[in-house]
């Protein structure tokens, strides 16, 4: 082997060694990362449920006025006057402007499809009038006045009232209390299980939350024009908010050693 060949040979050897060193370093780094990021193989998972009983503090109503007439202008004017009267009444009774929201305002033609021959219907239709509906959503922050507000709205001209739906103004307050209790219960349960199994708890690996609220308590009243007069004569209904359960369940996974 001449001098030139030896030089090439050792150059290749050196390059191979350098490559091997870099590959080894990269492999060691990857192994270190895997070791430190791997999900613990020894774990236990427990559940805890916290529950808070609370009294709903707001009442929500969906209130509508429906008017029928021969022309669009007539029904629009009638429905506007009635819904304005309802809104004015609610404000006079202490409902804040911010708690009254218009949800819809619609006018539809009313059609007659019958051709008058023994109830036979055809595809032809004739406009025989119009119907206007004005709807508002009302939040009442004094639940004790819910029955009074409902009767007053009907007396002022509302002929469709849905509610009250009894709810929480800020349910997150109660969820937070229930969640804290749920984690405490889960931790105590995990401690007992670890002691019985002869292991000890390390840190929390993961957790999952599932919350439940029974939903609004509601009473529903519906009245059309034919029921308006009767509804206006009904005495105020006493609304009892009672108590609702706000419940949070957590599943917590602990590493054990």
């Amino acid at each position: 082997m001449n001098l030139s060949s030896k030089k090439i040979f050792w150059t290749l050897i050196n390059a191979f060694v350098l490559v091997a060193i870099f590959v080894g370093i990269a492999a060691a780094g990857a192994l270190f990362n895997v070791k430190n990021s791997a999900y613990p193989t020894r774990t236990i998972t427990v559940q805890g449920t916290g529950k808070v009983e609370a009294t709903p503090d707001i009442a929500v109503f969906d209130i509508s006025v429906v008017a029928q007439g021969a022309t669009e202008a007539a029904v629009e004017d009638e429905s506007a006057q009635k819904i304005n009267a309802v809104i004015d009444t609610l404000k006079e009774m202490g409902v804040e402007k911010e708690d009254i929201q218009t949800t819809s305002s619609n006018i539809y033609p009313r059609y007659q499809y019958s051709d008058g021959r023994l109830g036979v219907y055809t595809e032809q239709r004739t406009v025989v009038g119009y119907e206007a509906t004005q709807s508002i959503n009302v939040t009442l922050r004094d639940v004790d006045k819910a029955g009074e507000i409902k009767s007053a709205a009907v007396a002022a001209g509302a002929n469709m009232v849905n509610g009250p739906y009894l709810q929480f103004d800020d349910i997150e307050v109660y969820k937070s209390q229930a969640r804290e209790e749920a984690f405490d219960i889960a931790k105590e349960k995990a401690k007992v299980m670890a002691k019985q199994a002869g292991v000890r708890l390390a840190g929390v690996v993961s957790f999952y939350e599932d919350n439940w609220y029974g939903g609004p308590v509601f009473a529903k009243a519906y009245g059309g024009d034919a029921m308006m007069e009767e509804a206006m004569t009904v005495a105020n209904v006493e609304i009892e908010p009672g108590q609702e359960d706000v419940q949070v369940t957590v599943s917590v996974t602990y590493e054990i050693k």
Side-chain angles (χ1 to χ4, degrees):
M1 182 180 294
N2 57 34
L3 183 62
S4 177
S5 297
K6 288 182 178 180
K7 185 176 180 180
I8 293 173
F9 173 78
W10 286 110
T11 299
L12 292 174
I13 291 295
N14 290 334
F16 177 79
V17 171
L18 288 174
V19 170
I21 291 173
F22 283 120
V23 170
I25 292 173
L31 181 62
F32 177 81
N33 290 333
V34 169
K35 181 178 180 181
N36 285 275
S37 64
Y39 191 89
T41 57
R42 289 166 53 84
T43 62
I44 59 171
T45 299
V46 294
Q47 284 190 334
T49 298
K51 183 172 69 173
V52 174
E53 289 187 347
T55 301
D57 52 10
I58 60 173
V60 179
F61 292 90
D62 292 315
I63 300 175
S64 299
V65 167
V66 180
Q68 295 181 346
T71 66
E72 290 184 74
V75 297
E76 184 176 26
D77 183 63
E78 181 184 349
S79 63
Q81 288 185 22
K82 287 184 176 180
I83 200 66
N84 287 338
V86 171
I87 292 173
D88 289 342
T89 298
L90 295 176
K91 290 179 179 178
E92 290 171 3
M93 298 183 68
V95 179
E96 297 293 333
K97 178 181 178 181
E98 294 76 13
D99 291 328
I100 303 174
Q101 180 183 34
T102 298
T103 54
S104 65
S105 178
N106 301 302
I107 300 178
Y108 303 101
R110 297 173 60 229
Y111 296 104
Q112 184 179 56
Y113 290 87
S114 174
D115 63 2
R117 294 185 295 109
L118 299 177
V120 177
Y121 289 81
T122 68
E123 292 300 321
Q124 297 179 347
R125 60 185 185 179
T126 303
V127 176
V128 295
Y130 294 87
E131 178 176 293
T133 302
Q134 306 279 352
S135 300
I136 58 175
N137 180 269
V138 179
T139 299
L140 179 63
R141 301 187 184 280
D142 185 353
V143 177
D144 292 337
K145 295 175 65 176
E148 183 182 353
I149 288 288
K150 184 174 185 176
S151 298
V154 173
N159 45 16
M160 293 180 66
V161 179
N162 291 301
Y165 304 89
L166 303 180
Q167 303 175 8
F168 297 105
D169 187 28
D170 187 4
I171 195 172
E172 290 302 324
V173 172
Y174 304 109
K175 284 184 179 179
S176 179
Q177 295 174 12
R179 184 183 300 113
E180 183 175 356
E181 180 182 345
F183 272 110
D184 288 343
I185 292 173
K187 188 173 183 178
E188 287 304 313
K189 187 184 295 185
K191 286 181 178 179
V192 172
M193 292 177 63
K195 182 178 180 181
Q196 293 173 336
V199 296
R200 61 184 180 87
L201 297 179
V204 174
V205 176
S206 65
F207 61 87
Y208 171 80
E209 176 185 320
D210 180 25
N211 53 65
W212 178 87
Y213 159 47
V217 181
F218 67 93
K220 183 176 180 180
Y222 177 92
D225 291 335
M227 299 177 64
M228 170 78 85
E229 187 172 341
E230 179 182 352
M232 290 174 61
T233 63
V234 177
N236 294 339
V237 178
E238 291 292 333
I239 303 298
E240 297 294 339
Q243 288 192 319
E244 283 295 298
D245 290 340
V246 179
Q247 183 172 298
V248 172
T249 297
V250 294
S251 296
V252 187
T253 299
Y254 291 89
E255 182 181 5
I256 56 175
K257 295 183 178 179

